[in-house]
Amino acid sequence: MITKNTGKRINRKGNSCIGILEKHIHETFAGLRVPGEDFVYCNSNDMLNRLDDVCDDENLLELVKNLPLLIKGCSGSGKSALLANWLLRRERYAQRRKNNSQDSEFVFWHSVGCTRHSTNVESLLRRLLVELKDRFEIGREVPIANASLSWELPRFLELASKRGKILIVIDGLDRLLNSENVEDSLSW
């Protein structure tokens, strides 16, 4: 792509700088919820194991037949910390198994409310599609029109799932808003 102002060629991936920053902010948000100097987390192996069980290949087909796993609780009860610690544990386990990046699962973490754009469902879907496209080298273009994002999601997931395992974790799903700042129907 060539810009009008400078005439210089830009790498299309350069347009995803905001997406990279958004991903980093979500990862930082999760990182603040693991045990450390400023945060105390009471580990629950039962809950962590239950999350692992749901994502095991043998159980995944059964889960897809039913509904995705939903974690509910009062504000401040530790849902975000549970998810952040579970994902950290999965990442460490994958590193110990010495999986190369092609064989490891793709994890998409989105925490609604950690940035201004994170509450918007179109921003979430666009970020997810861009990350799927980049990771799995999908030839389809991410739609420009917000209305097309939810239609493209199943296509992107189908193409990506042929190349690897995908894990999508959305923290605070109930707080997603559509472009009219109304609670999203989650029809996608």
Side-chain angles (χ1 to χ4, degrees):
M1 180 163 107
I2 300 177
T3 64
K4 288 183 181 179
N5 295 343
T6 64
K8 292 183 180 178
R9 186 170 288 280
I10 309 175
N11 181 346
R12 255 185 159 267
K13 287 189 177 184
N15 294 336
S16 66
C17 287
I18 292 174
I20 293 169
L21 177 60
E22 185 85 8
K23 179 180 179 179
H24 175 72
I25 292 170
H26 287 270
E27 289 171 350
T28 301
F29 179 85
L32 293 173
R33 279 142 184 85
V34 297
E37 292 178 20
D38 298 330
F39 190 79
V40 176
Y41 173 71
C42 297
N43 192 10
S44 170
N45 281 327
D46 289 342
M47 284 195 245
L48 296 173
N49 290 336
R50 172 72 176 119
L51 288 168
D52 281 335
D53 289 346
V54 168
C55 293
D56 284 346
D57 291 333
E58 308 87 55
N59 299 332
L60 203 52
L61 184 57
E62 191 61 36
L63 176 67
V64 172
K65 288 179 187 176
N66 298 315
L67 296 174
L69 178 65
L70 176 67
I71 300 170
K72 291 178 21 173
C74 299
S75 180
S77 64
K79 300 175 302 294
S80 298
L82 171 68
L83 292 172
N85 282 276
W86 172 64
L87 290 174
L88 179 63
R89 184 173 98 161
R90 284 185 78 81
E91 182 182 314
R92 287 179 178 162
Y93 179 71
Q95 288 173 350
R96 279 196 303 270
R97 287 191 345 232
K98 298 188 180 178
N99 282 348
N100 67 35
S101 61
Q102 297 299 324
D103 294 335
S104 64
E105 66 188 3
F106 167 78
V107 177
F108 178 82
W109 163 265
H110 186 88
S111 183
V112 178
C114 77
T115 70
R116 186 178 64 171
H117 299 289
S118 68
T119 59
N120 180 274
V121 70
E122 288 88 2
S123 294
L124 165 99
L125 292 173
R126 183 172 311 284
R127 194 174 133 244
L128 175 56
L129 295 179
V130 166
E131 287 190 32
L132 287 169
K133 178 179 176 60
D134 290 348
R135 168 66 184 273
F136 296 103
E137 299 174 351
I138 296 173
R140 294 182 76 87
E141 290 300 317
V142 175
I144 295 170
N146 284 343
S148 302
L149 294 170
S150 62
W151 288 99
E152 283 297 314
L153 179 62
R155 293 170 184 87
F156 273 71
L157 289 172
E158 180 181 359
L159 292 168
S161 67
K162 292 177 182 177
R163 298 181 180 181
K165 188 174 180 180
I166 303 164
L167 179 61
I168 300 172
V169 179
I170 303 174
D171 181 22
L173 188 66
D174 59 315
R175 295 179 295 162
L176 274 177
L177 303 173
N178 63 22
S179 55
E180 287 86 36
N181 282 334
V182 176
E183 190 174 297
D184 190 66
S185 67
L186 305 178
S187 60
W188 44 275

